[in-house]
Coordinates of all heavy atoms in Angstrom, one line a residue:
M9 N 0.8 -1.2 0.0 CA 0.0 0.0 0.0 C 0.9 1.2 0.0 O 1.9 1.3 0.6 CB -0.9 0.0 1.3 CG -1.8 1.2 1.3 SD -2.3 1.6 3.1 CE -3.2 0.1 3.5
K10 N 0.5 2.3 -0.7 CA 1.2 3.6 -0.7 C 0.8 4.3 0.6 O -0.4 4.3 0.9 CB 0.9 4.3 -2.0 CG 1.6 3.8 -3.1 CD 1.6 4.6 -4.4 CE 2.5 4.1 -5.5 NZ 2.3 5.0 -6.7
K11 N 1.8 5.1 1.1 CA 1.4 5.9 2.3 C 1.9 7.3 2.0 O 2.8 7.5 1.2 CB 2.2 5.3 3.5 CG 2.0 3.8 3.8 CD 1.1 3.7 5.0 CE 0.9 2.2 5.3 NZ 0.1 2.1 6.5
A12 N 1.3 8.2 2.7 CA 1.6 9.7 2.5 C 2.9 10.0 3.2 O 3.2 9.5 4.3 CB 0.5 10.5 3.1
V13 N 3.7 10.8 2.5 CA 5.0 11.2 3.1 C 5.2 12.7 2.8 O 4.9 13.2 1.8 CB 6.2 10.5 2.3 CG1 7.5 11.1 2.7 CG2 6.1 9.0 2.4
V14 N 5.6 13.4 3.9 CA 5.7 14.9 3.8 C 7.1 15.3 3.3 O 8.0 14.8 4.0 CB 5.3 15.5 5.1 CG1 5.5 17.1 5.1 CG2 3.9 15.2 5.5
N15 N 7.2 16.2 2.4 CA 8.5 16.8 2.1 C 8.6 18.0 3.1 O 8.0 19.1 3.0 CB 8.4 17.3 0.7 CG 9.7 18.0 0.3 OD1 10.5 18.6 1.2 ND2 10.1 17.9 -1.0
H16 N 9.5 17.8 4.0 CA 9.6 18.7 5.2 C 10.1 20.2 4.8 O 9.8 21.2 5.3 CB 10.4 18.2 6.2 CG 9.8 17.1 7.0 ND1 10.4 16.2 7.8 CD2 8.5 16.6 7.0 CE1 9.7 15.3 8.3 NE2 8.5 15.5 7.8
K17 N 10.7 20.2 3.6 CA 11.2 21.5 3.1 C 10.1 22.3 2.4 O 10.1 23.5 2.5 CB 12.4 21.4 2.1 CG 13.7 20.9 2.8 CD 14.8 20.8 1.7 CE 16.0 20.3 2.5 NZ 16.9 19.6 1.5
Q18 N 9.1 21.6 1.9 CA 8.0 22.3 1.3 C 6.8 22.6 2.2 O 6.1 23.6 2.0 CB 7.5 21.4 0.1 CG 8.3 21.6 -1.2 CD 7.9 20.6 -2.2 OE1 8.6 19.7 -2.6 NE2 6.7 20.7 -2.7
C19 N 6.6 21.8 3.3 CA 5.6 22.1 4.1 C 5.6 23.3 4.9 O 6.6 23.8 5.4 CB 5.5 21.0 5.2 SG 4.3 21.1 6.4
V20 N 4.5 24.2 4.8 CA 4.3 25.4 5.5 C 3.5 25.3 6.8 O 3.0 26.3 7.3 CB 3.7 26.5 4.6 CG1 4.7 26.7 3.4 CG2 2.4 26.2 4.0
A21 N 3.2 24.1 7.3 CA 2.5 23.9 8.5 C 1.1 24.6 8.6 O 0.7 25.0 9.6 CB 3.4 24.3 9.6
C22 N 0.4 24.5 7.5 CA -0.9 25.1 7.4 C -2.0 24.4 8.2 O -3.0 24.9 8.6 CB -1.4 25.4 5.9 SG -1.7 23.9 5.2
G23 N -1.8 23.1 8.2 CA -2.7 22.2 9.0 C -3.9 21.6 8.2 O -4.7 20.9 8.7
A24 N -3.8 22.0 7.0 CA -5.0 21.5 6.0 C -5.0 20.0 6.0 O -6.1 19.4 6.0 CB -4.9 22.2 4.7
C25 N -3.9 19.4 5.8 CA -3.8 17.9 5.7 C -4.4 17.3 7.0 O -5.1 16.3 6.9 CB -2.4 17.5 5.3 SG -1.2 18.0 6.6
A26 N -3.9 17.8 8.2 CA -4.3 17.3 9.5 C -5.8 17.3 9.7 O -6.5 16.4 10.1 CB -3.6 17.9 10.5
D27 N -6.4 18.5 9.2 CA -7.8 18.7 9.3 C -8.7 17.6 8.4 O -9.8 17.2 8.7 CB -8.3 20.0 8.8 CG -7.8 21.1 9.9 OD1 -7.5 20.7 11.0 OD2 -7.7 22.3 9.5
K28 N -8.0 17.3 7.3 CA -8.7 16.5 6.3 C -8.7 15.0 6.6 O -9.5 14.2 6.2 CB -8.1 16.8 4.9 CG -9.0 16.3 3.8 CD -10.3 17.2 3.6 CE -11.2 16.6 2.5 NZ -12.4 17.5 2.4
C29 N -7.5 14.6 7.2 CA -7.2 13.1 7.3 C -8.3 12.4 8.1 O -8.5 12.7 9.3 CB -5.9 12.9 8.0 SG -5.5 11.1 8.2
P30 N -8.9 11.4 7.5 CA -10.1 10.7 8.2 C -9.5 9.8 9.3 O -10.3 9.3 10.1 CB -10.7 10.0 7.1 CG -9.6 9.6 6.1 CD -8.7 10.9 6.1
K31 N -8.3 9.6 9.3 CA -7.7 8.6 10.3 C -6.9 9.3 11.4 O -6.3 8.7 12.2 CB -6.8 7.6 9.6 CG -7.5 6.6 8.6 CD -8.5 5.8 9.4 CE -9.3 4.9 8.6 NZ -10.4 4.1 9.3
D32 N -6.9 10.6 11.3 CA -6.2 11.4 12.3 C -4.8 10.9 12.5 O -4.1 10.9 13.5 CB -6.9 11.2 13.7 CG -6.5 12.4 14.7 OD1 -6.2 13.4 14.1 OD2 -6.7 12.2 15.8
A33 N -4.2 10.7 11.2 CA -2.9 10.3 11.2 C -1.7 11.4 11.0 O -0.5 11.2 11.2 CB -2.7 9.4 9.9
I34 N -2.2 12.7 10.9 CA -1.2 13.7 10.7 C -1.4 14.8 12.0 O -2.4 15.2 12.4 CB -1.6 14.5 9.4 CG1 -1.7 13.5 8.3 CG2 -0.5 15.6 9.2 CD1 -2.2 14.2 7.0
S35 N -0.2 15.1 12.4 CA -0.1 16.2 13.4 C 0.9 17.2 13.0 O 1.8 16.9 12.0 CB 0.3 15.6 14.8 OG 1.6 14.8 14.6
I36 N 0.8 18.4 13.5 CA 1.7 19.5 13.2 C 2.7 19.5 14.3 O 2.5 20.1 15.3 CB 1.0 20.8 13.0 CG1 -0.1 20.6 11.9 CG2 2.0 21.9 12.5 CD1 0.3 20.2 10.6
F37 N 4.0 19.1 14.0 CA 5.0 19.1 15.0 C 5.5 20.4 15.4 O 6.0 21.2 14.5 CB 6.1 18.1 14.5 CG 7.3 18.0 15.4 CD1 7.2 17.3 16.6 CD2 8.4 18.6 15.2 CE1 8.2 17.1 17.5 CE2 9.6 18.6 16.1 CZ 9.5 17.8 17.2
K38 N 5.3 20.8 16.6 CA 5.8 22.0 17.2 C 5.4 23.2 16.3 O 6.0 24.3 16.2 CB 7.4 22.1 17.3 CG 7.8 21.1 18.4 CD 9.3 21.3 18.7 CE 9.7 20.4 19.8 NZ 11.1 20.4 20.2
G39 N 4.2 23.1 15.5 CA 3.8 24.2 14.7 C 4.6 24.5 13.5 O 4.4 25.6 12.9
I40 N 5.5 23.6 13.1 CA 6.4 23.9 12.1 C 6.4 23.0 11.0 O 6.7 23.3 9.7 CB 8.0 24.1 12.4 CG1 8.4 22.9 13.3 CG2 8.1 25.3 13.3 CD1 9.9 22.9 13.6
V41 N 6.0 21.7 11.1 CA 6.0 20.8 10.0 C 5.0 19.7 10.3 O 4.7 19.3 11.4 CB 7.4 20.3 9.8 CG1 7.8 19.2 10.9 CG2 7.5 19.5 8.4
A42 N 4.3 19.2 9.2 CA 3.4 18.1 9.3 C 4.2 16.8 9.5 O 5.1 16.5 8.8 CB 2.5 18.0 8.1
V43 N 3.6 15.9 10.4 CA 4.3 14.6 10.6 C 3.2 13.6 10.4 O 2.1 13.7 11.0 CB 4.9 14.5 12.0 CG1 5.5 13.0 12.3 CG2 6.0 15.5 12.1
I44 N 3.5 12.5 9.7 CA 2.4 11.5 9.4 C 2.8 10.2 10.1 O 3.9 9.7 10.0 CB 2.3 11.3 7.9 CG1 1.8 12.5 7.2 CG2 1.3 10.1 7.6 CD1 1.6 12.5 5.8
D45 N 1.8 9.7 10.9 CA 1.9 8.4 11.6 C 1.5 7.4 10.5 O 0.4 7.1 10.2 CB 1.0 8.3 12.7 CG 1.1 7.0 13.5 OD1 1.6 6.1 13.0 OD2 0.7 6.9 14.6
I46 N 2.6 6.7 9.9 CA 2.3 5.8 8.8 C 1.6 4.5 9.3 O 1.0 3.9 8.4 CB 3.6 5.4 8.0 CG1 4.6 4.7 8.9 CG2 4.2 6.6 7.3 CD1 5.6 4.0 8.1
D47 N 1.6 4.3 10.6 CA 0.8 3.1 11.0 C -0.7 3.4 10.9 O -1.5 2.5 10.8 CB 1.1 2.8 12.5 CG 2.6 2.2 12.6 OD1 3.0 1.5 11.6 OD2 3.2 2.4 13.5
K48 N -1.1 4.7 11.1 CA -2.5 5.1 10.9 C -2.9 5.4 9.5 O -4.1 5.3 9.2 CB -2.7 6.4 11.8 CG -2.7 6.1 13.3 CD -3.1 7.5 14.0 CE -3.0 7.3 15.5 NZ -3.3 8.7 16.1
C49 N -2.0 5.8 8.7 CA -2.4 6.2 7.3 C -2.9 5.0 6.5 O -2.3 3.9 6.5 CB -1.1 6.7 6.6 SG -1.4 7.1 4.8
V50 N -4.0 5.2 5.8 CA -4.6 4.1 5.0 C -4.5 4.4 3.5 O -5.1 3.8 2.7 CB -6.1 3.8 5.4 CG1 -6.3 3.4 6.7 CG2 -6.9 5.1 5.2
G51 N -3.7 5.4 3.2 CA -3.5 5.7 1.8 C -4.6 6.3 1.0 O -4.6 6.1 -0.2
C52 N -5.4 7.0 1.6 CA -6.6 7.6 0.9 C -6.3 8.7 0.0 O -7.1 9.0 -1.0 CB -7.6 8.0 1.9 SG -7.2 9.5 2.8
T53 N -5.2 9.3 0.1 CA -4.7 10.4 -0.7 C -5.4 11.8 -0.4 O -5.0 12.8 -1.2 CB -4.6 10.1 -2.2 OG1 -6.0 10.2 -2.7 CG2 -4.1 8.8 -2.5
L54 N -6.3 11.9 0.4 CA -7.0 13.1 0.6 C -6.1 14.2 1.0 O -6.2 15.4 0.6 CB -8.1 13.0 1.8 CG -9.4 12.3 1.4 CD1 -10.2 12.0 2.6 CD2 -10.1 13.1 0.3
C55 N -5.1 14.0 1.9 CA -4.1 15.0 2.4 C -3.3 15.6 1.1 O -3.1 16.8 1.1 CB -3.1 14.5 3.4 SG -2.3 13.0 2.8
T56 N -3.0 14.7 0.2 CA -2.2 15.2 -1.0 C -3.0 16.3 -1.7 O -2.5 17.2 -2.3 CB -1.8 14.1 -1.9 OG1 -2.9 13.5 -2.5 CG2 -1.0 13.0 -1.2
K57 N -4.4 16.0 -1.8 CA -5.2 16.9 -2.6 C -5.5 18.3 -1.9 O -5.8 19.3 -2.7 CB -6.5 16.2 -2.9 CG -6.4 15.1 -3.8 CD -7.7 14.2 -4.0 CE -7.3 13.1 -4.8 NZ -8.0 11.9 -4.5
V58 N -5.4 18.4 -0.6 CA -5.7 19.7 0.0 C -4.4 20.5 0.3 O -4.5 21.6 0.6 CB -6.5 19.5 1.3 CG1 -7.8 18.9 1.1 CG2 -5.8 18.7 2.4
C59 N -3.3 19.9 0.2 CA -2.0 20.6 0.5 C -1.7 21.7 -0.5 O -1.5 21.5 -1.6 CB -0.8 19.6 0.6 SG 0.7 20.6 0.9
P60 N -1.7 23.0 0.0 CA -1.5 24.2 -1.0 C 0.0 24.2 -1.3 O 0.3 24.9 -2.3 CB -1.9 25.4 0.0 CG -1.6 24.9 1.3 CD -1.8 23.5 1.5
A61 N 0.8 23.6 -0.7 CA 2.3 23.6 -1.0 C 2.8 22.4 -1.9 O 3.9 22.2 -2.1 CB 3.0 23.7 0.3
N62 N 1.8 21.5 -2.2 CA 2.2 20.2 -2.8 C 3.3 19.5 -2.2 O 4.2 19.0 -2.8 CB 2.6 20.7 -4.3 CG 2.4 19.4 -5.2 OD1 1.6 18.5 -4.9 ND2 3.0 19.4 -6.3
A63 N 3.2 19.4 -0.8 CA 4.3 18.9 0.0 C 4.1 17.4 0.3 O 5.0 16.8 1.0 CB 4.5 19.7 1.2
I64 N 2.9 16.8 -0.1 CA 2.7 15.4 0.3 C 2.8 14.5 -0.8 O 2.0 14.8 -1.9 CB 1.5 15.2 1.1 CG1 1.3 16.2 2.3 CG2 1.4 13.8 1.7 CD1 0.1 16.1 3.1
A65 N 3.5 13.5 -0.8 CA 3.6 12.6 -1.9 C 3.1 11.1 -1.3 O 3.2 10.9 -0.2 CB 5.1 12.4 -2.5
M66 N 2.8 10.3 -2.3 CA 2.4 8.9 -1.8 C 3.5 8.0 -2.3 O 4.0 8.0 -3.4 CB 1.1 8.4 -2.6 CG -0.1 9.3 -2.3 SD -0.6 9.5 -0.5 CE -1.0 7.8 -0.1
E67 N 4.0 7.3 -1.3 CA 5.2 6.4 -1.5 C 4.9 5.0 -1.0 O 4.2 4.9 0.0 CB 6.4 6.9 -0.9 CG 7.0 8.1 -1.6 CD 8.2 8.7 -0.8 OE1 8.8 7.9 0.0 OE2 8.6 9.7 -1.2
K68 N 5.3 4.0 -1.7 CA 5.2 2.6 -1.3 C 6.0 2.3 -0.1 O 7.2 2.6 0.0 CB 5.6 1.6 -2.5 CG 4.9 0.4 -2.4 CD 5.0 -0.4 -3.7 CE 4.4 -1.8 -3.6 NZ 2.9 -1.8 -3.6
K69 N 5.3 1.7 1.0 CA 6.0 1.4 2.1 C 6.1 -0.1 2.4 O 5.1 -0.7 2.1 CB 5.4 2.1 3.3 CG 5.5 3.6 3.2 CD 6.8 4.0 3.7 CE 7.0 5.6 3.6 NZ 8.4 6.0 3.8
Ligands
SF4_359 S1 -3.4 9.5 2.8 FE1 -5.3 9.6 3.8 S2 -5.1 8.4 5.8 FE2 -3.0 8.9 4.9 S3 -2.3 10.7 5.9 FE3 -3.3 11.3 4.0 S4 -5.4 11.7 4.5 FE4 -4.5 10.5 6.3
SF4_360 S1 -1.3 20.7 4.0 FE1 0.8 20.7 3.1 S2 1.7 22.6 3.8 FE2 -0.2 22.3 5.1 S3 0.5 21.2 7.0 FE3 -0.1 19.7 5.4 S4 1.8 19.0 4.4 FE4 2.2 21.1 5.4

C-alpha cells in the first residue's frame, strides 16, 4: 500500500492535511511541520489533494 510522506522543506505547517485526514494520522510538530503516523495512514490520498504547497507524496512502504 502507498502511504503519505511529507516533504519537510515544502511544508508550511498550514494544518489543512491534518484537518482532512479521516484517520487522524497527521499532526503538526511544534507548529512547524506536518508529521504523518504511517501506522495510521490508510493511503486515501485526501491529504495530498488539500495541501497548498504540494508537499505530500504517496510512496510505497
Ligand atoms: S493518505 Fe489519507 S489516511 Fe493517509 S495521511 Fe493522508 S489523509 Fe490521512
Ligand atoms: S497541507 Fe501541506 S503545507 Fe499544510 S501542513 Fe499539510 S503538508 Fe504542510
Side-chain angles (χ1 to χ4, degrees):
M9 184 205 295
K10 286 188 174 179
K11 304 255 185 178
V13 178
V14 176
N15 180 328
H16 292 170
K17 287 185 182 149
Q18 279 173 244
C19 175
V20 295
C22 69
C25 56
D27 289 344
K28 196 75 182 174
C29 179
K31 295 296 176 183
D32 204 20
I34 310 177
S35 54
I36 307 299
F37 179 72
K38 292 188 175 177
I40 52 173
V41 72
V43 175
I44 298 177
D45 181 341
I46 62 163
D47 291 331
K48 288 187 183 173
C49 176
V50 294
C52 72
T53 77
L54 283 175
C55 56
T56 66
K57 290 172 183 146
V58 297
C59 179
N62 203 21
I64 309 179
M66 301 304 294
E67 289 181 11
K68 202 162 181 74
K69 291 283 172 186

